[in-house]
Amino acid sequence: MRNGSITLSIDSTFDNVYLIGLAVSRICAAVANDAVDPSTFELCVIEAVNNVIEHAYAGEPGHPVDVTLSIAGDRLTCAICDTGRTMDWEAACRRAEQLPEEEDLAEGGRGLYIMQTLMDEISYCREGDTNVLTLTKRFSPAHRR
Amino acid sequence: MEIEQDEIGQVTVARLLDQRLDARSAPEFKEKLASIIRSGRTRIVLDLAEVEFVDSSGFGAMISILKTLGNHGDLVICGVRDSVLSMFKLTRLDKVFLIVSQPEDAIGALER
């Protein structure tokens, strides 16, 4: 079984995000052999990339969004990198602990909750001038192709 | 975002023809549904049978439609695939929207 990684780069517009989703989903399906649901992993990566475009870059095109998908041992990891505004991670996590109340009919505020619920690990840090959100899903190596 | 629109009595069936309702397509989807509501059609069936992927922007757009209707109309969703239904459940939006299996069930619910 091989380990490896690939980095996909898009410009910060929502028009490009589906390309990341398609690539992540296909790679996930190919390497994880049903141990990780490709559509679930795709959704989490897309939520993360959408957050970068909307919040780190305030919806402004012309900025890089780099997505590195790695497989190593029993871990499928996706690092979403941007050079925009750094998120207050602790505050965001506190907000994401609970979904918006159903009667509030809030239109947003579910992305991080989805990621936290569906991933095994999620972390966020600043490396130099780059913000890095890392999503991790573990699976049994026996499931690998 | 392509939407096929049928009018059956007082009910409008809006069938999404794209496979993805996401941050790219959500604004246009929202505007097209809002336009239907502005035209006076306020009993709406949203048929998601063709939709394979919905992200939180897509769910936000559906909530926006529900808010636009307010107390003046109703929205029923049908044709939801299992993968999308699991996201409705994960986000507990299955408690917010009336979701039925078939378009005729949705039309029936709105004609009552």
Side-chain angles (χ1 to χ4, degrees):
Chain A
M1 294 296 173
R2 291 180 179 176
N3 294 333
S5 70
I6 183 171
T7 297
L8 307 160
S9 298
I10 59 166
D11 186 75
S12 54
T13 72
F14 290 125
D15 286 349
N16 293 325
V17 178
Y18 82 102
L19 294 169
I20 295 285
L22 291 177
V24 164
S25 173
R26 300 289 156 82
I27 292 170
C28 182
V31 301
N33 196 16
D34 299 335
V36 180
D37 177 29
S39 62
T40 295
F41 202 76
E42 175 186 2
L43 175 63
C44 291
V45 173
I46 280 184
E47 294 293 347
V49 174
N50 284 347
N51 279 350
V52 164
I53 295 171
E54 184 177 353
H55 300 297
Y57 293 133
E60 191 178 88
H63 303 285
V65 184
D66 296 335
V67 177
T68 299
L69 189 66
S70 304
I71 181 161
D74 66 343
R75 301 162 78 87
L76 184 63
T77 301
C78 191
I80 298 95
C81 304
D82 69 83
T83 55
R85 192 162 63 93
T86 301
M87 168 170 41
D88 183 341
W89 178 240
E90 288 186 8
C93 287
R94 279 196 301 275
R95 283 195 300 275
E97 281 174 6
Q98 288 190 321
L99 281 170
E101 293 294 329
E102 290 151 22
E103 58 268 25
D104 288 349
L105 293 180
E107 293 176 37
R110 293 177 181 82
L112 186 52
Y113 174 86
I114 289 171
M115 288 183 260
Q116 287 183 326
T117 304
L118 296 176
M119 291 292 106
D120 291 322
E121 295 171 25
I122 178 168
S123 65
Y124 182 77
C125 66
R126 181 89 175 169
E127 294 178 359
D129 64 350
T130 303
N131 304 308
V132 184
L133 178 79
T134 305
L135 305 170
T136 301
K137 194 75 181 168
R138 288 188 299 272
F139 58 92
S140 163
H143 281 102
R144 286 179 57 176
R145 283 184 173 145
Chain B
M1 168 56 68
E2 269 194 88
I3 297 176
E4 188 178 80
Q5 187 179 332
D6 286 324
E7 297 184 355
I8 301 165
Q10 296 296 309
V11 176
T12 298
V13 179
R15 181 179 173 85
L16 277 64
L17 301 182
D18 289 6
Q19 294 179 339
R20 302 176 74 90
L21 179 54
D22 56 15
R24 176 172 69 160
S25 58
E28 189 183 353
F29 161 76
K30 205 158 64 172
E31 177 48 37
K32 285 189 173 178
L33 267 292
S35 172
I36 292 170
I37 295 167
R38 282 196 301 271
S39 75
R41 308 286 302 184
T42 58
R43 295 183 189 183
I44 296 174
V45 172
L46 192 58
D47 187 341
L48 299 183
E50 297 297 321
V51 178
E52 296 176 352
F53 181 90
V54 181
D55 68 9
S56 63
S57 302
F59 286 117
M62 286 187 261
I63 291 170
S64 170
I65 298 307
L66 200 60
K67 287 160 74 173
T68 301
L69 284 167
N71 295 325
H72 307 292
D74 281 305
L75 175 71
V76 181
I77 297 174
C78 68
V80 182
R81 295 180 181 222
D82 288 346
S83 59
V84 175
L85 185 61
S86 68
M87 291 304 121
F88 271 102
K89 290 178 177 173
L90 176 75
T91 53
R92 293 205 296 268
L93 291 173
D94 60 321
K95 312 289 184 200
V96 172
F97 294 100
L98 177 56
I99 301 172
V100 300
S101 179
Q102 301 297 325
E104 49 268 31
D105 301 329
I107 294 164
L110 288 170
E111 285 177 335
R112 277 184 214 127

